[in-house]
Amino acid sequence: MVLAELGGCISNALRKLNNSSVIDKKELGKCLNEITHALRDADVNFEFINRHINNIKNNINFDHLSEGLNKRKIIEQAVFNELCSLLNSEKPSFTPRKGKPSIVMFVGLQGSGKTTTCTKYARHHKKNGWNPALICADTFRAGAFDQLKQNATKAKIPLYGSYTELDPVKVAVEGVERLKKEVYDLIIIDTSGRHKQEASLFEEMRQLEQATKPDVVIFVMDSSIGQSAFDQAQAFKQSVDVGAVIITKLDGHAKGGGALSAVAATDSPVIFIGTGEHMDDFEEFNTQSFVLRLLG
Ligand code: GDP
């Protein structure tokens, strides 16, 4: 189910309340059942859905609602609030400092859009007054350095990397040391991915995290991976201290559930979304407008 469909189904469920002459516990139950199905079809993690649907049920107490109140509006507001809370992590969103170097490490599976997103992130911050530089610590995949170089050149972002050094930790540490001495206040490390979650990938990430001590680790996730989103995000979180999430490919056939599940699994906020292959297809994530857009 694509994102727009998820929103459509939830809106539909809410609209049906208009047609009921009496809005009571039973009608609310029917409406929440439909919303539960819509969220499941959009690949949101089951446990996560149940917790939030129960919150809505507990927040609406028909015995305490006086006659004159617009119950449909109250239910709509409760659903809106809960969808926002589903996407809101307790953790504050990370913003790099200006003037003093912040180190940002990107992690994610191969193909998630990590390398593209590193450059998009750098470019976004450059436009907003930061002075970013990139490090290619992906020594695993042949061609990774060239790919990042191509993107970085297009976006006019300086890049540190090596064609010969095979130790990603060495490249990252040297890169951070070098770039810190220069004028950069946002040092972005692109790490290698694998096609699937592998012990070797997680070990490499841990070593890179220990050696470069990033201010934030950003987990990049492809929004179209279905129910495995929760487990994948959790596996990354268990290996490194993920502090923020970027969801890619929220254009085209993207599913909405991935974003919701990644937040639940990492307990970290979504900070940006990728909405296409182009460098400028990148948006700051805003929970309320995301939910408003979702509900149309
Ligand atoms: P990596 O292996 O994780 O570094 O992934 P890449 O950055 O190489 O991206 C894999 C593919 O996904 C490339 O073809 C990108 O152009 C594409 N891609 C990345 N982000 C987006 C996005 O937000 N939307 C779409 N449609 N494609 C994207």
Side-chain angles (χ1 to χ4, degrees):
M1 176 186 283
V2 298
L3 197 58
E5 257 178 76
L6 167 65
C9 289
I10 296 177
S11 303
N12 237 349
L14 289 169
R15 215 169 295 127
K16 278 187 194 159
L17 291 173
N18 272 342
N19 304 333
S20 346
S21 47
V22 188
I23 297 179
D24 54 13
K25 233 175 171 168
K26 197 172 144 214
E27 286 304 313
L28 173 66
K30 275 203 254 174
C31 169
L32 293 182
N33 255 345
E34 268 191 52
I35 295 177
T36 302
H37 284 300
L39 288 167
R40 281 186 180 182
D41 286 347
D43 290 331
V44 184
N45 176 262
F46 297 153
E47 271 176 46
F48 194 47
I49 299 173
N50 289 341
R51 189 171 357 125
H52 285 278
I53 291 290
N54 280 335
N55 283 349
I56 299 176
K57 276 186 194 151
N58 295 336
N59 284 337
I60 299 173
N61 187 340
F62 284 100
D63 299 336
H64 293 144
L65 291 182
S66 58
E67 273 308 307
L69 285 176
N70 186 333
K71 290 179 185 155
R72 192 180 65 85
K73 275 257 146 27
I74 290 170
I75 293 172
E76 260 176 17
Q77 190 62 44
V79 170
F80 177 81
N81 290 348
E82 208 53 36
L83 285 172
C84 288
S85 126
L86 225 105
L87 278 159
N88 270 337
S89 138
E90 305 272 294
K91 230 186 269 172
S93 202
F94 171 79
T95 313
R97 295 171 296 251
K98 275 192 178 148
K100 195 172 176 282
S102 296
I103 300 170
V104 176
M105 179 171 135
F106 275 72
V107 299
L109 285 188
Q110 197 164 310
S112 61
K114 182 168 39 59
T115 300
T116 311
T117 305
C118 280
T119 319
K120 286 179 173 179
Y121 182 83
R123 190 176 152 92
H124 171 89
H125 283 88
K126 192 174 173 182
K127 278 192 197 158
N128 287 288
W130 272 271
N131 203 359
L134 291 156
I135 298 174
C136 177
D138 182 356
T139 56
F140 179 78
R141 182 167 65 89
F145 186 33
D146 277 334
Q147 186 194 346
L148 191 55
K149 203 173 190 175
Q150 218 176 31
N151 290 350
T153 307
K154 237 192 267 167
K156 297 193 176 63
I157 310 285
L159 167 70
Y160 180 91
S162 167
Y163 280 112
T164 49
E165 180 55 64
L166 290 178
D167 179 359
V169 176
K170 212 164 165 199
V171 176
V173 169
E174 280 175 8
V176 168
E177 271 173 16
R178 169 91 70 89
L179 295 170
K180 261 186 170 175
K181 283 189 198 135
E182 298 180 20
V183 290
Y184 304 108
D185 53 14
L186 181 58
I187 301 171
I188 301 160
I189 308 172
D190 185 16
T191 64
S192 75
R194 301 284 192 276
H195 283 302
K196 54 186 174 60
Q197 293 150 225
E198 285 172 20
S200 61
L201 169 64
F202 291 133
E203 183 49 35
E204 184 177 310
M205 281 179 353
R206 264 192 290 270
Q207 286 178 11
L208 277 166
E209 186 185 32
Q210 261 175 17
T212 60
K213 303 197 170 36
D215 294 275
V216 70
V217 175
I218 298 179
F219 171 58
V220 178
M221 201 187 76
D222 181 336
S223 58
S224 60
I225 59 169
Q227 270 289 337
S228 60
F230 188 87
D231 290 342
Q232 187 188 112
Q234 198 170 46
F236 275 84
K237 175 72 180 176
Q238 280 163 357
S239 295
V240 283
D241 186 18
V242 172
V245 178
I246 295 180
I247 309 289
T248 62
K249 310 186 192 180
L250 267 169
D251 47 304
H253 305 291
K255 300 206 181 192
L260 310 177
S261 294
V263 172
T266 60
D267 193 21
S268 304
V270 178
I271 51 172
F272 289 95
I273 53 173
T275 53
E277 293 192 72
H278 191 266
M279 279 298 127
D280 289 325
D281 297 331
F282 194 60
E283 293 174 20
E284 258 177 81
F285 185 78
N286 176 299
T287 308
Q288 297 212 341
S289 56
F290 185 85
V291 174
L292 277 176
R293 197 166 71 178
L294 185 73
L295 297 179

